[in-house]
């Protein structure tokens, strides 16, 4: 606008037709980003529109001039006559809010600056349209209205007071009733002095804030008209004039009783929680994400034997957790895993270290705490001593291991006893009792399966002479050698026994008579051919053998043994060192 009024006056005498095509004046106007028009005052006919105005209208200058008048685009509350009245003096200027009507679009309110000009003996109006200025002004007035409504309706007390005397109120909002119990209309005058409403305990703090010479924000209790003291928060600021003199204090006093009550309840809750944590008979500690101790309860202090100052801020590893571990457990690794994946360790058992070096076992329950972004902020751990249980457990394990050893010893002993019960100690062969048991069993099976079974009885020839010539010990040696000989030639199913003295019996399950005789013959031959070295003497010892078979010779154990024994007797009788077969008809009573 100032550029228009400052424009060189000589250009205004240039005829409009020429102005439209050339001239500094209008080049300048074209450069203005806001719409500018020149219209005739009398009827609003367009004489000129700058580039911004043409762009805004969506028409050409020719179309504007030929078919439109200013009144087609905007209307003023009082119409053209009013505009003419506003600009009744030459060169007069006015500012108007007008509604700019776009022929095809919505109505846009604009702020227009109009100036009356005389061009070519014609009274004209130069108009500058500013939509933004209108919007800003409109918004400001709207905010003012909102503010007024807000002040009137807010539950707090908005005020303004002047420094004259003792800060007399010259404005209080309707919320004053809510905060003090006195209606806004009682101020000043009927209501008591504001300072007297401040609770005696807080008056001094309020007076200090007032005297500070600056704005302030304080909380204090205010004595309400209903007799109840309520917590309020006062935010105040000072208003200064151009010379920096304080001309007013403004502020808002809000009732914060509800917030204070909540804070008190929260504090009471927190206090209860603290008492609970401190009186708990469990170890409670908090760890930061770096593995440092940030809190320990009293029980934890006494349990580990530390003062709180010695633990807070200390890394867990090296204090409560042994830094090195004789059992080679990777404690640093365990702690690292706990800090990075706490959800994987809801419960864990750990050996911990007391200040005096004692080792204690603790069962830990861990609760990770995370912030809204999911980052770990701390780990809350609750521990219970399980040293005694652990000790009992260890002792039980040790006792169990000892029992295992003893059990194995007993089992070995039992085995040994069992072996002793069924073995002959001199030869290592089975004894007579075992033979009888086995024979009964094997015979029953052979009968069941309709199989065969043979028994070979054998006896050392002239054994008495061995004893007599070389001594009883040498005789034992011969018997031991015969035992080894028979064992070496037995099959897995055979049962070789020392039947008594120098007499032996071998049960051959599944063996037919012919097979048994062949084997008896080969044993006889083999033993007779072997030279026994006994006590420095080389002996040649022969055997007599008798063979009997089931079912050919007998069907019960006793008879079968008797038949084999009879056959052995026959072998002795026929000159020894030979094998005889039992006869089915032999009379057992003989
Ligand atoms: N060294 C030793 N001798 C034993 C053992 N048991 C029995 N004898 C002896 O074996 C001998 C058996 O003698 P006899 O029954 O007369 O028979 P034999 O001298 O072998 O003569 P024939 O059987 O008829 O060939 C006895 O002298 C017994 O004392 C033993 O465990 N060790």
């Amino acid at each position: 606008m100032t550029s228009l009024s400052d424009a060189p006056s000589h250009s205004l005498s240039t005829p409009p037709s020429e102005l439209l095509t050339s001239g500094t004046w209008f080049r300048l106007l074209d450069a203005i980003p806001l719409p500018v028009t020149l219209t005739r005052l009398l009827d609003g006919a367009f004489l000129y529109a700058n580039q911004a105005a043409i762009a805004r209208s969506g028409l050409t200058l020719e179309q504007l001039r030929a078919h439109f008048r200013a009144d087609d685009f905007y209307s003023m509350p009082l119409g053209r006559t009013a505009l003419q009245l506003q600009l009744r003096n030459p060169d007069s200027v006015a500012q108007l809010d007008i509604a700019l009507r776009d022929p095809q679009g919505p109505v846009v309110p604009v702020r227009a600056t109009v100036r009356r000009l005389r061009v070519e003996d014609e009274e004209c109006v130069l108009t500058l349209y500013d939509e933004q200025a209108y919007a800003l002004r409109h918004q400001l007035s709207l905010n003012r209205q909102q503010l007024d409504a807000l002040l009137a309706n807010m539950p707090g007390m908005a005020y303004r007071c002047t420094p004259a005397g003792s800060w007399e109120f010259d404005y209080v909002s309707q919320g004053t009733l809510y905060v003090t119990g006195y209606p806004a209309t009682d101020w000043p005058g009927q209501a008591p002095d504001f300072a007297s409403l401040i609770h005696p305990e807080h008056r001094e703090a309020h007076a200090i804030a007032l005297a500070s010479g600056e704005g302030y924000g304080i909380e204090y209790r205010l004595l309400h008209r209903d007799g109840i003291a309520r917590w309020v928060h006062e935010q105040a600021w000072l208003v200064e004039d151009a010379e920096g003199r304080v001309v007013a204090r403004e502020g808002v006093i809000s009732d914060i009783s509800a917030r204070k009550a909540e804070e008190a309840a929260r504090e009471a809750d927190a206090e209860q929680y603290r008492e609970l944590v401190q009186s708990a008979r469990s170890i409670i500690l908090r760890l930061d994400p770096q593995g440092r101790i940030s809190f320990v309860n009293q029980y934890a202090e006494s349990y580990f034997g530390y003062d709180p100052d010695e633990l807070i801020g200390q890394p867990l590893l090296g204090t409560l957790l042994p830094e090195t571990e004789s059992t080679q457990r990777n404690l640093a690794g365990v702690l690292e895993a706990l800090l990075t994946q706490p959800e994987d360790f809801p419960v864990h058992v750990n050996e911990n270290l007391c200040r005096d070096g004692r080792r204690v076992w603790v069962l830990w329950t861990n609760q990770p705490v995370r912030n809204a972004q999911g980052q770990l902020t701390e780990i809350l751990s609750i521990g219970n001593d399980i040293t005694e249980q652990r000790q009992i457990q260890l002792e039980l394990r040790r006792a169990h291991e000892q029992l295992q050893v003893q059990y194995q010893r007993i089992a070995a002993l039992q085995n040994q006893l069992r072996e002793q019960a069924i073995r002959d100690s001199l030869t290592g062969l089975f004894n007579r009792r075992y033979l009888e048991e086995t024979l009964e069993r094997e015979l029953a099976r052979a009968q069941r399966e309709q199989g065969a079974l043979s028994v070979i009885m054998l006896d050392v020839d002239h054994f008495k002479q061995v004893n007599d010539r070389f001594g009883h010990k040498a005789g034992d040696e011969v018997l031991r050698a015969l035992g080894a000989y028979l064992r070496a030639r037995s099959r897995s199913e055979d049962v070789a026994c020392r039947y008594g003295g120098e007499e032996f019996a071998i049960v051959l399950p599944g063996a037919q008579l012919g097979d048994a005789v062949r084997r008896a013959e080969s044993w006889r031959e083999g033993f007779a051919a072997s030279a026994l070295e006994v006590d420095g003497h080389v002996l040649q010892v022969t055997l007599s053998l008798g063979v009997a078979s089931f079912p050919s010779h007998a069907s019960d154990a006793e008879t079968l043994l008797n038949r084999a024994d009879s056959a052995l007797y026959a072998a002795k009788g026929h000159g020894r060192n030979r094998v005889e077969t039992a006869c089915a008809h032999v009379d057992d009573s003989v």
Side-chain angles (χ1 to χ4, degrees):
M1 285 311 304
T2 46
S3 64
L4 274 178
S5 58
D6 294 346
S9 59
H10 68 271
S11 62
L12 293 177
S13 62
T14 312
S17 53
E18 288 176 34
L19 284 172
L20 295 178
T21 53
S22 65
T24 312
W25 230 109
F26 285 95
R27 275 203 299 279
L28 283 172
L29 289 176
D30 271 345
I32 295 173
L34 299 175
V36 177
T37 59
L38 183 69
T39 51
R40 203 153 44 207
L41 179 64
L42 188 66
D43 58 6
F46 281 101
L47 300 174
Y48 166 78
N50 77 345
Q51 291 301 317
I54 289 167
R56 179 73 182 73
S57 70
L59 300 162
T60 63
L61 179 58
E62 284 66 37
Q63 285 172 324
L64 277 173
R65 290 184 66 201
H67 306 294
F68 295 92
R69 285 165 190 258
D71 300 28
D72 295 327
F73 289 92
Y74 63 85
S75 62
M76 289 168 294
L78 300 173
R80 177 147 300 280
T81 317
L83 179 68
Q84 288 164 352
L85 269 173
Q86 287 265 344
L87 303 174
R88 67 174 170 268
N89 299 321
D91 292 332
S92 57
V93 177
Q95 287 200 323
L96 307 163
D97 289 335
I98 60 171
L100 193 63
R101 278 190 284 118
D102 191 327
Q104 273 87 43
V107 173
V108 180
V110 296
R111 180 91 170 137
T113 304
V114 290
R115 178 167 188 156
R116 181 172 162 175
L117 295 171
R118 189 169 177 78
V119 181
E120 287 275 289
D121 295 333
E122 196 112 58
E123 291 302 322
C124 298
V125 181
L126 187 69
T127 310
L128 181 136
Y129 307 85
D130 188 346
E131 291 176 29
Q132 280 185 353
Y134 178 88
L136 197 64
R137 191 164 166 274
H138 186 70
Q139 187 63 38
L140 278 176
S141 83
L142 206 66
N143 285 348
R144 182 60 207 235
Q145 282 168 13
Q146 285 171 338
L147 195 64
D148 288 346
L150 207 67
L151 282 177
N153 293 309
M154 68 184 280
M157 168 183 175
Y159 68 83
R160 182 186 166 91
C161 50
T162 48
S166 59
W167 292 103
E168 284 290 324
F169 289 119
D170 57 5
Y171 166 78
V172 289
S173 68
Q174 288 173 23
T176 302
L177 176 65
Y178 175 79
V179 176
T180 64
Y182 298 96
T185 47
D186 282 7
W187 305 86
Q190 283 127 295
D193 175 34
F194 185 80
S196 69
L197 296 183
I198 297 171
H199 192 284
E201 280 179 23
H202 301 290
R203 274 180 203 156
E204 192 184 343
H206 191 265
I208 290 170
L210 265 186
S212 69
E214 293 173 357
Y216 56 86
I218 54 170
E219 290 179 0
Y220 53 89
R221 275 182 293 165
L222 198 65
L223 301 169
H224 195 273
R225 195 178 191 175
D226 61 12
I228 298 171
R230 298 188 184 171
W231 277 98
V232 295
H233 173 264
E234 181 178 352
Q235 190 67 47
W237 57 91
L238 301 178
V239 182
E240 295 176 350
D241 64 8
E243 277 78 44
R245 283 188 298 266
V246 175
V247 292
R249 192 178 91 238
E250 294 172 347
V252 177
I253 301 169
S254 317
D255 188 329
I256 56 165
S257 309
R259 197 194 82 201
K260 281 282 181 187
E262 262 175 42
E263 277 175 8
R266 261 203 306 275
E267 183 52 36
D269 277 355
E271 186 50 38
Q272 272 183 348
Y273 165 77
R274 270 194 293 275
E275 272 175 24
L276 198 70
V277 166
Q278 290 299 11
S279 61
R281 302 286 299 158
S282 291
I283 306 155
I284 298 177
L285 61 88
R286 281 152 61 180
L287 281 185
D288 69 15
Q290 284 72 45
R292 289 185 301 248
I293 301 161
S294 57
F295 171 83
V296 282
N297 70 343
Q298 283 166 4
Y299 184 78
E301 289 162 30
S302 61
Y303 179 80
F304 290 115
Y306 280 97
D307 285 339
D309 298 351
E310 294 174 306
L311 285 177
I312 304 301
Q314 295 301 313
L316 189 71
L317 195 66
T319 50
L320 302 184
L321 206 57
E323 200 151 12
T324 53
E325 185 50 65
S326 56
T327 52
Q328 299 303 312
R329 287 185 309 139
N330 181 7
L331 291 179
V334 170
L335 183 63
E336 172 82 17
L338 174 67
L339 293 171
T340 50
Q341 298 292 332
E343 280 80 3
D344 293 349
F345 294 88
V347 171
H348 78 279
V349 171
N350 218 66
E351 191 176 21
N352 290 98
L353 192 61
C354 294
R355 194 173 191 264
D356 58 10
R358 264 183 313 116
R359 298 290 180 108
V360 284
W361 283 91
V362 178
L363 170 72
W364 292 104
T365 308
N366 306 306
Q367 179 64 49
V369 180
R370 296 184 179 277
N371 63 16
Q373 287 74 46
Q375 292 156 329
L376 184 74
T377 54
E378 64 174 5
I379 294 174
L380 177 64
S381 292
I382 300 177
N384 284 300
D385 178 275
I386 55 159
T387 311
E388 205 174 317
Q389 288 101 305
R390 181 100 188 163
Q391 197 60 37
I392 292 168
Q393 218 174 27
L394 282 178
E395 278 166 18
L396 276 176
R397 192 178 299 163
R398 227 172 282 138
H400 177 74
E401 283 166 4
Q402 280 173 359
L403 271 177
Q404 280 292 104
V405 171
Q406 280 175 1
Y407 172 77
Q408 279 162 6
R409 268 194 214 135
I410 289 167
L413 209 62
Q414 275 178 335
N415 207 27
Q416 207 178 327
L417 283 172
R418 195 172 157 276
E419 283 291 300
Q420 281 173 1
I422 62 171
R423 296 266 177 199
D424 167 58
S425 58
L426 182 70
T427 61
L429 297 181
F430 290 113
N431 58 21
R432 183 170 178 164
R433 193 162 62 87
Y434 185 76
L435 170 107
E436 284 165 355
E437 278 172 18
T438 310
L439 184 58
E440 294 278 0
R441 203 172 52 239
E442 289 299 328
L443 259 178
R445 186 157 65 174
Q447 277 169 345
R448 221 173 30 246
E449 295 173 2
Q450 297 185 328
L453 180 148
S454 297
V455 172
I456 301 173
M457 295 280 280
L458 61 89
D459 188 283
V460 181
D461 294 334
H462 303 301
F463 187 59
K464 187 172 178 305
Q465 291 176 15
V466 176
N467 274 340
D468 293 347
R469 283 183 63 191
F470 304 105
H472 198 83
K473 220 170 127 204
D476 281 355
E477 276 304 306
V478 170
L479 293 178
R480 207 175 278 125
L482 176 59
Y485 178 84
L486 290 174
R487 232 186 359 257
R489 275 154 188 80
S490 296
R491 295 174 185 166
S492 61
E493 65 271 23
D494 298 344
V495 184
C497 313
R498 184 175 175 205
Y499 198 62
E502 84 288 21
E503 200 176 0
F504 295 79
I506 300 100
V507 178
L508 310 173
Q512 303 279 359
L513 179 63
D515 183 32
V517 171
R518 270 192 297 280
R519 290 184 69 192
E521 189 56 44
S522 82
W523 293 349
R524 183 201 62 77
E525 201 178 342
F527 196 70
S530 62
L532 298 180
E533 204 181 315
V534 176
D535 207 15
H537 306 280
V538 177
L539 305 181
Q540 224 162 3
V541 180
T542 60
L543 304 172
S544 293
L545 303 96
V547 184
S549 293
F550 166 85
S552 315
H553 305 119
S555 53
D556 66 277
E558 194 184 350
T559 312
L560 193 62
L561 283 170
N562 284 340
R563 294 276 187 271
D565 198 37
S566 299
L568 167 61
Y569 184 74
K572 290 276 182 188
H574 291 140
R576 299 184 175 82
N577 189 22
R578 55 187 290 131
V579 177
E580 285 292 342
T581 306
C583 301
H585 62 272
V586 170
D587 185 354
D588 290 332
S589 61
V590 176

